[in-house]
Coordinates of all heavy atoms in Angstrom, one line a residue:
M1 N 91.1 -38.9 -67.8 CA 89.9 -38.6 -67.1 C 89.3 -37.3 -67.6 O 89.9 -36.2 -67.5 CB 90.1 -38.6 -65.6 CG 90.5 -39.8 -65.0 SD 90.5 -39.7 -63.3 CE 91.5 -41.3 -62.9
A2 N 88.1 -37.3 -68.1 CA 87.4 -36.1 -68.6 C 86.8 -35.3 -67.5 O 86.7 -35.8 -66.4 CB 86.3 -36.6 -69.5
G3 N 86.6 -34.1 -67.8 CA 85.9 -33.2 -66.8 C 86.8 -32.2 -66.1 O 86.3 -31.2 -65.5
Y4 N 88.1 -32.5 -66.2 CA 89.0 -31.4 -65.7 C 90.2 -31.2 -66.5 O 90.4 -32.1 -67.4 CB 89.5 -31.8 -64.2 CG 90.4 -33.1 -64.3 CD1 91.8 -32.9 -64.3 CD2 89.9 -34.4 -64.1 CE1 92.6 -34.0 -64.3 CE2 90.8 -35.4 -64.2 CZ 92.1 -35.2 -64.2 OH 92.9 -36.4 -64.2
K5 N 90.8 -30.1 -66.4 CA 91.9 -29.8 -67.1 C 93.3 -29.9 -66.3 O 93.3 -29.7 -65.3 CB 91.9 -28.4 -67.7 CG 90.7 -28.2 -68.7 CD 90.6 -26.8 -69.0 CE 89.2 -26.6 -69.8 NZ 88.7 -25.2 -69.8
V6 N 94.3 -30.4 -67.0 CA 95.7 -30.5 -66.5 C 96.4 -29.3 -66.8 O 96.5 -28.8 -67.9 CB 96.4 -31.7 -67.0 CG1 97.8 -31.9 -66.4 CG2 95.6 -33.1 -66.6
I7 N 97.1 -28.7 -65.7 CA 97.9 -27.6 -66.0 C 99.3 -27.7 -65.5 O 99.5 -28.5 -64.5 CB 97.4 -26.2 -65.4 CG1 97.1 -26.4 -63.9 CG2 96.0 -26.0 -66.0 CD1 96.7 -25.2 -63.2
E8 N 100.2 -26.9 -66.0 CA 101.6 -26.9 -65.5 C 101.8 -25.9 -64.5 O 100.9 -25.0 -64.3 CB 102.6 -26.6 -66.8 CG 102.4 -27.5 -67.9 CD 103.0 -28.8 -67.7 OE1 104.1 -28.9 -66.9 OE2 102.8 -29.8 -68.5
A9 N 103.0 -26.0 -63.8 CA 103.2 -25.0 -62.7 C 103.2 -23.6 -63.2 O 102.5 -22.7 -62.5 CB 104.6 -25.3 -62.0
I10 N 103.8 -23.3 -64.3 CA 103.8 -21.9 -64.8 C 102.4 -21.4 -65.0 O 102.0 -20.2 -64.8 CB 104.7 -21.7 -66.1 CG1 104.7 -20.3 -66.4 CG2 104.0 -22.5 -67.2 CD1 105.9 -20.0 -67.4
E11 N 101.4 -22.2 -65.6 CA 100.1 -21.8 -65.7 C 99.3 -21.6 -64.4 O 98.5 -20.6 -64.4 CB 99.2 -22.9 -66.4 CG 99.8 -23.1 -68.0 CD 99.2 -24.4 -68.6 OE1 99.5 -25.6 -68.1 OE2 98.3 -24.3 -69.5
L12 N 99.6 -22.4 -63.4 CA 99.0 -22.1 -62.1 C 99.6 -20.8 -61.5 O 98.7 -20.0 -61.0 CB 99.3 -23.3 -61.1 CG 99.0 -23.1 -59.7 CD1 97.4 -22.8 -59.6 CD2 99.3 -24.2 -58.8
F13 N 100.9 -20.6 -61.6 CA 101.4 -19.3 -61.1 C 100.8 -18.1 -61.8 O 100.4 -17.1 -61.1 CB 103.0 -19.4 -61.5 CG 103.7 -18.1 -60.9 CD1 104.1 -18.1 -59.6 CD2 104.0 -17.0 -61.8 CE1 104.7 -16.9 -59.1 CE2 104.6 -16.0 -61.3 CZ 105.0 -15.8 -60.0
E14 N 100.5 -18.2 -63.1 CA 99.9 -17.1 -63.8 C 98.4 -17.0 -63.4 O 97.9 -15.9 -63.2 CB 100.0 -17.3 -65.4 CG 101.4 -17.1 -65.8 CD 101.5 -17.5 -67.3 OE1 100.7 -18.1 -67.9 OE2 102.8 -17.4 -67.8
M15 N 97.7 -18.0 -63.2 CA 96.4 -18.0 -62.7 C 96.2 -17.3 -61.4 O 95.4 -16.5 -61.1 CB 95.7 -19.5 -62.7 CG 95.4 -20.2 -63.9 SD 95.0 -21.8 -63.7 CE 93.2 -21.7 -63.1
L16 N 97.1 -17.8 -60.4 CA 97.1 -17.2 -59.1 C 97.4 -15.6 -59.2 O 96.8 -14.9 -58.3 CB 98.1 -17.9 -58.2 CG 97.8 -19.3 -57.8 CD1 99.0 -19.9 -57.2 CD2 96.5 -19.5 -57.0
A17 N 98.2 -15.2 -60.1 CA 98.4 -13.8 -60.2 C 97.3 -13.0 -60.9 O 97.2 -11.7 -60.5 CB 99.7 -13.6 -60.9
N18 N 96.5 -13.7 -61.6 CA 95.6 -12.9 -62.5 C 94.1 -13.2 -62.2 O 93.3 -12.5 -62.8 CB 95.9 -13.2 -63.9 CG 97.2 -12.7 -64.4 OD1 97.6 -11.4 -64.0 ND2 98.0 -13.5 -64.9
Q19 N 93.7 -14.1 -61.4 CA 92.3 -14.4 -61.2 C 92.1 -15.1 -59.8 O 93.1 -15.5 -59.2 CB 91.8 -15.4 -62.3 CG 92.3 -16.7 -62.3 CD 91.9 -17.5 -63.5 OE1 92.2 -17.3 -64.6 NE2 91.1 -18.5 -63.2
K20 N 90.9 -15.1 -59.4 CA 90.5 -15.7 -58.2 C 90.5 -17.3 -58.5 O 89.8 -17.8 -59.3 CB 89.1 -15.2 -57.8 CG 88.8 -16.0 -56.3 CD 87.5 -15.4 -56.0 CE 86.8 -15.9 -54.7 NZ 87.6 -16.7 -53.8
V21 N 91.4 -18.0 -57.6 CA 91.5 -19.4 -57.8 C 91.4 -20.0 -56.4 O 91.9 -19.6 -55.4 CB 92.9 -19.8 -58.3 CG1 93.1 -21.2 -58.3 CG2 92.9 -19.2 -59.8
V22 N 90.6 -21.0 -56.3 CA 90.6 -21.9 -55.0 C 91.6 -22.9 -55.2 O 91.4 -23.8 -56.1 CB 89.1 -22.4 -54.7 CG1 89.2 -23.3 -53.4 CG2 88.1 -21.3 -54.6
L23 N 92.6 -22.9 -54.5 CA 93.8 -23.9 -54.5 C 93.6 -24.9 -53.4 O 93.6 -24.5 -52.2 CB 95.1 -23.1 -54.4 CG 96.4 -23.9 -54.7 CD1 96.4 -24.5 -56.1 CD2 97.5 -22.9 -54.5
V24 N 93.5 -26.2 -53.8 CA 93.2 -27.3 -52.6 C 94.4 -28.3 -52.6 O 94.7 -28.8 -53.7 CB 91.9 -28.0 -53.0 CG1 91.6 -29.0 -51.9 CG2 90.8 -27.0 -53.1
D25 N 95.0 -28.3 -51.6 CA 96.1 -29.4 -51.3 C 95.4 -30.6 -50.7 O 94.9 -30.5 -49.7 CB 97.1 -28.8 -50.3 CG 98.3 -29.5 -50.2 OD1 98.3 -30.8 -50.1 OD2 99.3 -29.0 -49.7
V26 N 95.6 -31.8 -51.4 CA 94.9 -32.9 -51.0 C 95.9 -33.8 -50.3 O 95.6 -35.1 -50.1 CB 94.2 -33.8 -52.2 CG1 93.2 -32.7 -52.7 CG2 95.2 -34.1 -53.3
R27 N 97.2 -33.5 -50.0 CA 98.1 -34.3 -49.3 C 97.7 -34.5 -48.0 O 96.9 -33.9 -47.4 CB 99.5 -33.7 -49.4 CG 100.0 -33.4 -50.9 CD 101.3 -32.7 -50.8 NE 101.2 -31.4 -50.3 CZ 102.2 -30.6 -49.8 NH1 103.5 -31.1 -49.8 NH2 101.9 -29.4 -49.3
N28 N 98.4 -35.5 -47.3 CA 98.2 -35.8 -45.9 C 98.9 -34.8 -45.0 O 99.7 -34.0 -45.5 CB 98.6 -37.3 -45.5 CG 100.2 -37.6 -45.6 OD1 100.9 -36.7 -45.2 ND2 100.4 -38.7 -46.2
E29 N 98.6 -34.8 -43.7 CA 99.1 -33.8 -42.7 C 100.5 -33.7 -42.7 O 101.1 -32.5 -42.7 CB 98.7 -34.2 -41.2 CG 97.1 -34.0 -41.1 CD 96.6 -32.6 -41.1 OE1 97.4 -31.7 -40.8 OE2 95.4 -32.4 -41.4
S30 N 101.2 -34.8 -42.7 CA 102.8 -34.8 -42.6 C 103.3 -34.1 -43.9 O 104.4 -33.5 -43.7 CB 103.3 -36.1 -42.4 OG 103.1 -36.9 -43.5
E31 N 102.8 -34.3 -45.0 CA 103.3 -33.8 -46.4 C 103.0 -32.1 -46.3 O 103.8 -31.4 -46.7 CB 102.6 -34.3 -47.5 CG 103.0 -35.7 -47.7 CD 102.1 -36.3 -48.8 OE1 101.0 -36.4 -48.7 OE2 102.7 -36.6 -49.9
V32 N 101.9 -31.8 -45.8 CA 101.5 -30.4 -45.7 C 102.5 -29.7 -44.8 O 102.8 -28.4 -45.0 CB 100.0 -30.2 -45.2 CG1 99.7 -28.8 -45.0 CG2 99.2 -30.7 -46.4
A33 N 102.9 -30.3 -43.7 CA 103.8 -29.7 -42.8 C 105.0 -29.2 -43.4 O 105.8 -28.4 -42.9 CB 104.0 -30.7 -41.6
T34 N 105.4 -29.9 -44.5 CA 106.7 -29.5 -45.1 C 106.6 -28.2 -46.0 O 107.6 -27.7 -46.5 CB 107.3 -30.8 -46.1 OG1 106.3 -30.8 -47.1 CG2 107.4 -31.9 -45.3
G35 N 105.5 -27.7 -46.2 CA 105.1 -26.4 -47.1 C 104.0 -26.7 -47.9 O 103.8 -27.7 -48.5
V36 N 103.4 -25.5 -48.2 CA 102.2 -25.5 -49.1 C 102.3 -24.4 -50.2 O 103.1 -23.5 -49.9 CB 100.8 -25.4 -48.4 CG1 100.6 -26.5 -47.5 CG2 100.8 -24.0 -47.7
I37 N 101.8 -24.6 -51.2 CA 101.7 -23.4 -52.2 C 100.9 -22.3 -51.5 O 99.8 -22.5 -51.1 CB 101.0 -23.9 -53.4 CG1 101.9 -25.0 -54.2 CG2 100.9 -22.7 -54.5 CD1 101.3 -25.6 -55.3
P38 N 101.5 -21.0 -51.6 CA 100.6 -19.9 -50.9 C 99.3 -19.8 -51.3 O 99.0 -19.8 -52.5 CB 101.5 -18.7 -51.3 CG 102.9 -19.3 -51.6 CD 102.6 -20.6 -52.2
G39 N 98.4 -19.6 -50.3 CA 97.0 -19.4 -50.6 C 96.2 -20.7 -50.6 O 94.9 -20.7 -50.7
A40 N 96.8 -21.9 -50.5 CA 96.2 -23.2 -50.6 C 95.3 -23.4 -49.3 O 95.8 -23.1 -48.2 CB 97.1 -24.4 -50.8
I41 N 94.2 -24.2 -49.4 CA 93.5 -24.8 -48.4 C 93.7 -26.2 -48.3 O 94.1 -26.8 -49.4 CB 91.9 -24.5 -48.3 CG1 91.4 -25.2 -49.7 CG2 91.7 -23.0 -48.4 CD1 89.8 -25.1 -49.6
H42 N 93.7 -26.9 -47.1 CA 94.0 -28.2 -47.0 C 92.8 -29.1 -46.9 O 92.0 -28.9 -45.9 CB 95.0 -28.5 -45.9 CG 95.3 -29.9 -45.6 ND1 95.4 -30.6 -44.5 CD2 95.8 -30.9 -46.4 CE1 95.7 -31.7 -44.6 NE2 96.0 -32.0 -45.9
I43 N 92.6 -30.0 -47.8 CA 91.4 -31.0 -47.7 C 92.1 -32.3 -48.1 O 92.3 -32.5 -49.3 CB 90.2 -30.8 -48.5 CG1 89.6 -29.3 -48.2 CG2 89.3 -31.9 -48.4 CD1 88.5 -28.9 -49.2
P44 N 92.5 -33.2 -47.2 CA 93.0 -34.4 -47.6 C 92.1 -35.2 -48.6 O 90.9 -35.2 -48.4 CB 93.2 -35.3 -46.3 CG 93.1 -34.2 -45.1 CD 92.3 -33.1 -45.8
L45 N 92.9 -36.0 -49.4 CA 92.0 -36.6 -50.5 C 90.9 -37.5 -49.9 O 89.9 -37.5 -50.5 CB 93.0 -37.5 -51.2 CG 92.4 -38.4 -52.4 CD1 91.7 -37.5 -53.4 CD2 93.3 -39.4 -53.0
A46 N 91.2 -38.2 -48.8 CA 90.2 -39.1 -48.3 C 88.9 -38.3 -47.8 O 87.9 -38.9 -47.7 CB 90.6 -39.9 -47.0
L47 N 89.1 -37.0 -47.5 CA 87.9 -36.2 -47.1 C 87.2 -35.4 -48.2 O 86.2 -34.9 -48.0 CB 88.4 -35.2 -46.1 CG 88.9 -35.8 -44.6 CD1 89.3 -34.8 -43.7 CD2 87.8 -36.7 -44.1
I48 N 87.7 -35.5 -49.5 CA 87.1 -34.9 -50.6 C 85.6 -35.2 -50.8 O 84.8 -34.4 -50.9 CB 87.8 -35.0 -51.8 CG1 89.1 -34.3 -51.8 CG2 87.1 -34.5 -53.2 CD1 89.2 -32.7 -51.8
P49 N 85.3 -36.6 -50.6 CA 83.8 -36.9 -50.8 C 82.9 -36.3 -49.7 O 81.7 -36.0 -49.9 CB 83.9 -38.4 -50.8 CG 85.1 -38.8 -51.2 CD 86.1 -37.9 -50.6
V50 N 83.6 -36.1 -48.6 CA 82.7 -35.6 -47.4 C 82.7 -34.1 -47.5 O 81.6 -33.4 -47.1 CB 83.3 -36.0 -46.2 CG1 82.7 -35.4 -44.9 CG2 83.5 -37.5 -45.9
K51 N 83.7 -33.3 -47.9 CA 83.8 -31.9 -47.8 C 83.6 -31.3 -49.2 O 83.7 -30.1 -49.3 CB 85.1 -31.5 -47.3 CG 85.2 -31.9 -45.9 CD 86.4 -31.2 -45.2 CE 86.3 -31.5 -43.7 NZ 87.2 -30.6 -43.0
H52 N 83.4 -32.0 -50.3 CA 83.2 -31.5 -51.8 C 82.1 -30.4 -51.8 O 82.3 -29.3 -52.5 CB 82.8 -32.5 -52.7 CG 81.5 -33.0 -52.7 ND1 80.5 -32.5 -53.4 CD2 81.0 -34.0 -52.1 CE1 79.4 -33.0 -53.3 NE2 79.6 -34.1 -52.4
D53 N 81.1 -30.4 -50.9 CA 80.0 -29.4 -51.0 C 80.4 -28.1 -50.3 O 79.7 -27.1 -50.3 CB 78.8 -30.0 -50.5 CG 78.7 -30.4 -49.0 OD1 80.0 -30.6 -48.5 OD2 77.8 -30.6 -48.4
T54 N 81.6 -28.1 -49.7 CA 82.1 -26.9 -49.1 C 82.8 -25.9 -50.2 O 83.1 -24.8 -49.9 CB 83.1 -27.1 -47.9 OG1 84.2 -27.7 -48.4 CG2 82.5 -28.0 -46.9
L55 N 83.0 -26.5 -51.4 CA 83.7 -25.7 -52.4 C 82.6 -25.2 -53.3 O 81.8 -26.0 -53.7 CB 84.7 -26.6 -53.1 CG 85.9 -27.1 -52.3 CD1 86.7 -28.2 -53.0 CD2 86.7 -26.0 -51.8
N56 N 82.7 -24.0 -53.6 CA 81.8 -23.4 -54.6 C 81.8 -23.8 -55.9 O 83.1 -23.8 -56.6 CB 82.0 -21.7 -54.5 CG 81.0 -21.1 -55.4 OD1 80.4 -21.5 -56.3 ND2 80.8 -19.8 -55.0
K57 N 80.9 -24.4 -56.6 CA 80.9 -25.0 -57.9 C 81.2 -24.0 -59.0 O 81.6 -24.3 -60.1 CB 79.6 -25.7 -58.2 CG 79.3 -26.9 -57.5 CD 78.0 -27.6 -57.9 CE 77.8 -28.9 -57.1 NZ 76.7 -29.6 -57.7
E58 N 81.0 -22.7 -58.7 CA 81.2 -21.6 -59.7 C 82.6 -21.1 -59.7 O 82.9 -20.4 -60.6 CB 80.2 -20.5 -59.4 CG 78.8 -20.9 -59.2 CD 78.3 -21.7 -60.5 OE1 78.7 -21.2 -61.7 OE2 77.5 -22.7 -60.5
E59 N 83.4 -21.5 -58.8 CA 84.8 -20.9 -58.6 C 85.8 -21.9 -59.4 O 85.6 -23.0 -59.3 CB 85.2 -20.7 -57.2 CG 84.4 -19.6 -56.5 CD 84.7 -19.3 -55.1 OE1 85.3 -20.4 -54.3 OE2 84.8 -18.3 -54.6
T60 N 86.8 -21.3 -59.9 CA 87.8 -22.0 -60.5 C 88.6 -22.8 -59.3 O 89.0 -22.2 -58.4 CB 88.8 -21.0 -61.3 OG1 88.1 -20.5 -62.3 CG2 90.0 -21.9 -61.8
T61 N 88.7 -24.1 -59.5 CA 89.3 -24.8 -58.3 C 90.5 -25.6 -59.0 O 90.4 -26.3 -60.0 CB 88.3 -25.8 -57.7 OG1 87.2 -25.0 -57.3 CG2 88.9 -26.5 -56.5
V62 N 91.7 -25.5 -58.2 CA 92.9 -26.3 -58.7 C 93.3 -27.2 -57.5 O 93.4 -26.8 -56.4 CB 94.1 -25.4 -59.1 CG1 95.3 -26.1 -59.5 CG2 93.6 -24.4 -60.1
F63 N 93.4 -28.5 -57.9 CA 93.9 -29.4 -56.9 C 95.4 -29.9 -57.1 O 95.8 -29.8 -58.3 CB 93.1 -30.7 -57.0 CG 91.6 -30.5 -56.7 CD1 90.7 -30.2 -57.6 CD2 91.2 -30.7 -55.3 CE1 89.4 -30.0 -57.2 CE2 89.9 -30.5 -54.9 CZ 88.9 -30.1 -55.9
Y64 N 96.0 -30.0 -56.1 CA 97.4 -30.5 -56.2 C 97.8 -31.4 -55.0 O 97.2 -31.5 -53.9 CB 98.4 -29.4 -56.3 CG 98.7 -28.7 -55.0 CD1 99.7 -29.1 -54.1 CD2 97.9 -27.5 -54.6 CE1 100.0 -28.3 -52.8 CE2 98.3 -26.8 -53.4 CZ 99.3 -27.3 -52.6 OH 99.5 -26.6 -51.3
C65 N 98.9 -32.2 -55.3 CA 99.4 -33.1 -54.2 C 100.9 -33.2 -54.4 O 101.4 -32.2 -54.9 CB 98.8 -34.5 -54.3 SG 99.1 -35.4 -56.0
H66 N 101.5 -34.3 -54.1 CA 102.9 -34.3 -54.1 C 103.4 -34.5 -55.7 O 104.4 -33.7 -56.1 CB 103.4 -35.5 -53.4 CG 104.9 -35.8 -53.3 ND1 105.7 -34.9 -52.6 CD2 105.7 -36.6 -53.9 CE1 107.0 -35.3 -52.9 NE2 107.0 -36.3 -53.7
S67 N 102.8 -35.3 -56.3 CA 103.2 -35.6 -57.8 C 102.1 -35.3 -58.7 O 102.4 -35.4 -60.0 CB 103.8 -36.9 -57.9 OG 102.9 -37.9 -57.6
G68 N 100.9 -35.2 -58.4 CA 99.7 -35.0 -59.3 C 98.9 -36.2 -59.5 O 97.8 -36.1 -60.1
I69 N 99.1 -37.3 -58.8 CA 98.3 -38.5 -59.0 C 97.1 -38.5 -58.1 O 95.9 -38.6 -58.6 CB 99.1 -39.8 -58.6 CG1 100.2 -39.9 -59.7 CG2 98.2 -41.0 -58.6 CD1 101.2 -40.9 -59.5
R70 N 97.2 -38.2 -56.7 CA 96.0 -38.0 -55.9 C 95.2 -36.9 -56.3 O 93.9 -37.0 -56.3 CB 96.5 -38.0 -54.4 CG 97.1 -39.3 -53.9 CD 97.6 -39.0 -52.5 NE 98.9 -38.4 -52.7 CZ 99.6 -37.9 -51.7 NH1 99.1 -38.0 -50.4 NH2 100.8 -37.3 -51.8
S71 N 95.9 -35.8 -56.7 CA 95.1 -34.6 -57.0 C 94.3 -34.8 -58.3 O 93.1 -34.3 -58.4 CB 95.9 -33.4 -57.2 OG 97.0 -33.6 -58.1
A72 N 94.7 -35.7 -59.2 CA 93.9 -36.0 -60.4 C 92.6 -36.7 -60.0 O 91.7 -36.6 -60.6 CB 94.8 -36.9 -61.3
Q73 N 92.7 -37.5 -58.9 CA 91.6 -38.3 -58.4 C 90.6 -37.3 -57.8 O 89.4 -37.5 -58.0 CB 91.9 -39.3 -57.4 CG 92.9 -40.5 -58.0 CD 93.3 -41.4 -56.8 OE1 93.3 -41.1 -55.6 NE2 94.0 -42.5 -57.2
A74 N 91.1 -36.3 -57.2 CA 90.2 -35.3 -56.6 C 89.5 -34.5 -57.5 O 88.4 -34.2 -57.4 CB 91.0 -34.5 -55.6
A75 N 90.4 -34.1 -58.5 CA 89.8 -33.3 -59.6 C 88.7 -34.1 -60.5 O 87.7 -33.5 -60.8 CB 90.9 -33.0 -60.7
A76 N 89.0 -35.4 -60.7 CA 88.0 -36.2 -61.4 C 86.7 -36.2 -60.5 O 85.5 -36.2 -61.2 CB 88.5 -37.5 -61.7
Y77 N 86.9 -36.5 -59.3 CA 85.6 -36.6 -58.4 C 84.8 -35.3 -58.5 O 83.7 -35.3 -58.6 CB 86.1 -36.9 -57.0 CG 84.9 -37.0 -56.0 CD1 84.2 -38.2 -56.1 CD2 84.4 -36.0 -55.3 CE1 83.0 -38.4 -55.2 CE2 83.4 -36.0 -54.4 CZ 82.7 -37.3 -54.4 OH 81.6 -37.3 -53.5
M78 N 85.6 -34.2 -58.3 CA 84.9 -32.9 -58.4 C 84.2 -32.6 -59.7 O 83.0 -32.0 -59.7 CB 85.8 -31.7 -57.9 CG 86.3 -31.8 -56.5 SD 85.0 -32.0 -55.3 CE 84.6 -30.2 -55.2
A79 N 84.8 -32.9 -60.8 CA 84.2 -32.8 -62.1 C 83.0 -33.6 -62.2 O 82.0 -33.2 -62.8 CB 85.2 -33.1 -63.1
S80 N 82.9 -34.7 -61.5 CA 81.8 -35.7 -61.6 C 80.7 -35.1 -60.8 O 79.4 -35.4 -61.0 CB 82.2 -37.1 -61.1 OG 82.2 -37.0 -59.7
K81 N 81.0 -34.2 -59.9 CA 79.9 -33.5 -59.1 C 79.5 -32.2 -59.8 O 79.0 -31.3 -59.1 CB 80.4 -33.3 -57.8 CG 80.7 -34.6 -56.9 CD 79.5 -35.4 -56.8 CE 79.7 -36.6 -55.9 NZ 78.5 -37.4 -55.9
E82 N 79.9 -32.1 -61.0 CA 79.4 -30.9 -61.8 C 80.0 -29.6 -61.4 O 79.4 -28.5 -61.5 CB 78.0 -30.8 -61.9 CG 77.4 -32.0 -62.6 CD 75.9 -32.0 -62.8 OE1 75.2 -31.0 -62.3 OE2 75.3 -33.0 -63.2
H83 N 81.3 -29.6 -60.9 CA 81.9 -28.3 -60.5 C 82.5 -27.8 -62.0 O 82.9 -28.5 -62.7 CB 83.1 -28.6 -59.6 CG 82.8 -28.5 -58.2 ND1 83.0 -27.6 -57.4 CD2 82.1 -29.5 -57.5 CE1 82.5 -27.9 -56.1 NE2 82.0 -29.0 -56.2
G84 N 82.4 -26.6 -62.0 CA 82.7 -25.9 -63.5 C 84.0 -26.0 -63.8 O 84.5 -26.8 -64.5
Q85 N 84.9 -25.1 -63.4 CA 86.3 -25.0 -63.7 C 87.2 -25.8 -62.7 O 87.5 -25.3 -61.7 CB 86.8 -23.5 -63.9 CG 86.1 -22.8 -65.0 CD 86.7 -23.0 -66.2 OE1 87.6 -23.8 -66.5 NE2 86.2 -22.2 -67.2
V86 N 87.5 -26.9 -63.1 CA 88.4 -27.9 -62.3 C 89.7 -28.2 -63.0 O 89.8 -28.5 -64.1 CB 87.6 -29.2 -61.9 CG1 88.5 -30.1 -61.1 CG2 86.3 -28.9 -61.2
F87 N 90.8 -28.0 -62.2 CA 92.1 -28.2 -62.7 C 93.0 -29.1 -61.8 O 92.7 -29.1 -60.6 CB 92.9 -26.9 -62.9 CG 92.4 -25.9 -63.9 CD1 91.2 -25.1 -63.5 CD2 92.7 -25.8 -65.2 CE1 90.7 -24.2 -64.3 CE2 92.0 -25.0 -66.1 CZ 91.1 -24.2 -65.8
N88 N 93.9 -29.8 -62.4 CA 95.0 -30.6 -61.7 C 96.3 -30.1 -62.0 O 96.6 -30.0 -63.1 CB 94.7 -32.1 -62.0 CG 95.8 -32.9 -61.3 OD1 96.1 -32.8 -60.1 ND2 96.4 -33.8 -62.0
L89 N 97.1 -29.9 -61.0 CA 98.5 -29.4 -61.2 C 99.3 -30.6 -61.6 O 99.6 -31.5 -60.7 CB 99.1 -28.7 -59.9 CG 100.5 -28.3 -60.1 CD1 100.8 -27.4 -61.3 CD2 101.0 -27.6 -58.7
Q90 N 99.7 -30.7 -62.8 CA 100.6 -31.9 -63.2 C 102.0 -31.8 -62.5 O 102.5 -30.7 -62.4 CB 100.9 -31.8 -64.7 CG 101.6 -33.0 -65.1 CD 101.6 -33.0 -66.8 OE1 100.8 -32.3 -67.4 NE2 102.4 -33.9 -67.3
G91 N 102.4 -32.8 -61.9 CA 103.7 -33.0 -61.2 C 103.6 -32.4 -59.7 O 104.6 -32.5 -59.0
G92 N 102.4 -31.9 -59.4 CA 102.2 -31.6 -58.0 C 103.3 -30.5 -57.4 O 103.9 -29.8 -58.2
V93 N 103.5 -30.6 -56.1 CA 104.5 -29.7 -55.5 C 105.9 -30.0 -56.0 O 106.8 -29.0 -56.0 CB 104.5 -29.7 -54.0 CG1 103.1 -29.2 -53.5 CG2 104.8 -31.1 -53.4
L94 N 106.1 -31.2 -56.5 CA 107.4 -31.4 -57.1 C 107.7 -30.4 -58.3 O 108.8 -29.9 -58.3 CB 107.6 -32.9 -57.6 CG 107.6 -33.9 -56.5 CD1 107.6 -35.3 -57.0 CD2 108.8 -33.8 -55.4
A95 N 106.6 -30.4 -59.2 CA 106.8 -29.6 -60.3 C 106.9 -28.0 -59.9 O 107.6 -27.3 -60.5 CB 105.7 -29.8 -61.3
W96 N 106.0 -27.6 -58.9 CA 105.9 -26.3 -58.5 C 107.4 -26.0 -57.9 O 107.9 -24.9 -58.2 CB 105.0 -26.1 -57.3 CG 104.7 -24.9 -56.8 CD1 105.3 -24.3 -55.6 CD2 103.9 -23.7 -57.2 NE1 105.0 -23.1 -55.4 CE2 104.0 -22.6 -56.5 CE3 103.2 -23.6 -58.5 CZ2 103.6 -21.5 -56.6 CZ3 102.5 -22.4 -58.6 CH2 102.6 -21.2 -57.9
G97 N 108.0 -26.8 -57.2 CA 109.3 -26.5 -56.5 C 110.5 -26.5 -57.6 O 111.3 -25.6 -57.7
R98 N 110.4 -27.4 -58.6 CA 111.3 -27.4 -59.7 C 111.2 -26.1 -60.5 O 112.3 -25.8 -61.0 CB 111.1 -28.6 -60.5 CG 111.8 -29.9 -60.0 CD 111.9 -31.0 -61.1 NE 110.6 -31.3 -61.8 CZ 109.7 -32.3 -61.2 NH1 110.1 -33.0 -60.3 NH2 108.6 -32.5 -61.8
A99 N 110.1 -25.6 -60.8 CA 109.9 -24.3 -61.5 C 110.4 -23.0 -60.6 O 110.6 -22.0 -61.2 CB 108.4 -24.2 -61.7
G100 N 110.8 -23.3 -59.3 CA 111.3 -22.2 -58.5 C 110.4 -21.4 -57.8 O 110.7 -20.3 -57.4
Y101 N 109.1 -21.8 -57.8 CA 108.0 -21.1 -57.1 C 108.1 -21.2 -55.6 O 108.5 -22.3 -55.2 CB 106.7 -21.4 -57.8 CG 106.6 -21.0 -59.2 CD1 106.2 -22.0 -60.1 CD2 106.8 -19.8 -59.8 CE1 106.2 -21.8 -61.5 CE2 106.8 -19.5 -61.1 CZ 106.5 -20.5 -61.8 OH 106.4 -20.2 -63.3
P102 N 107.5 -20.2 -54.8 CA 107.7 -20.3 -53.4 C 106.7 -21.3 -52.7 O 105.6 -21.6 -53.3 CB 107.3 -18.9 -53.0 CG 106.4 -18.4 -54.1 CD 106.9 -19.0 -55.4
F103 N 107.1 -21.6 -51.5 CA 106.1 -22.3 -50.6 C 106.0 -21.5 -49.2 O 106.7 -20.7 -49.1 CB 106.8 -23.6 -50.1 CG 106.9 -24.7 -51.3 CD1 108.0 -24.8 -52.1 CD2 105.8 -25.5 -51.6 CE1 108.0 -25.7 -53.1 CE2 105.8 -26.4 -52.6 CZ 107.0 -26.5 -53.4
A104 N 104.8 -21.7 -48.8 CA 104.5 -21.1 -47.5 C 104.7 -21.9 -46.3 O 104.7 -23.1 -46.4 CB 103.0 -20.5 -47.4

C-alpha cells in the first residue's frame, strides 16, 4: 500500500529517541491493557476514520497493533488523508517485544 513507510522495531526505537513522533496504538481495549509502547496514544482502528482529524498532518505519525496488519490499514487510511510522514511498525508489539524494548 502506497503512501506510508514500513519500519522495524529498531527504527522506531531510534525515532522515539531522536525526534518528535506521534505513536498511535490501534489495538482494542483488552490488548492495550496488557501494555503499550511508552508514549503511545490509543485510538482503536475502528475509530481512526472518526478521529483522524485530531492528528496533526505535519507530525511524524507511527501506527502499531499486535502484529502490524491493523496498523497497516490505519497507516494507509491516514496516508490517503494526506498526512505527511506516516509509518507502520512491522510486526507490531510482537516485534517490539522480541527486540527487547520496554512496555508501559
Side-chain angles (χ1 to χ4, degrees):
M1 293 183 192
Y4 69 91
K5 297 174 186 162
V6 176
I7 59 172
E8 302 285 335
I10 190 167
E11 293 171 287
L12 175 57
F13 183 79
E14 291 170 357
M15 287 173 75
L16 292 170
N18 297 310
Q19 68 186 68
K20 182 175 174 21
V21 175
V22 177
L23 187 58
V24 182
D25 187 328
V26 299
R27 298 176 298 158
N28 63 42
E29 294 289 335
S30 63
E31 291 172 301
V32 170
T34 65
V36 299
I37 297 174
I41 61 172
H42 180 227
I43 305 175
L45 179 61
L47 295 181
I48 292 291
V50 177
K51 295 193 172 196
H52 75 88
D53 59 348
T54 64
L55 298 172
N56 186 333
K57 289 184 177 189
E58 304 304 317
E59 293 180 326
T60 300
T61 307
V62 179
F63 293 92
Y64 76 89
C65 62
H66 183 72
S67 65
I69 296 170
R70 287 172 287 172
S71 54
Q73 294 172 351
Y77 180 82
M78 294 305 281
S80 77
K81 296 297 182 186
E82 300 180 359
H83 276 252
Q85 294 279 4
V86 178
F87 297 87
N88 177 44
L89 175 59
Q90 184 170 349
V93 295
L94 293 176
W96 182 262
R98 276 194 304 269
Y101 298 125
F103 289 96

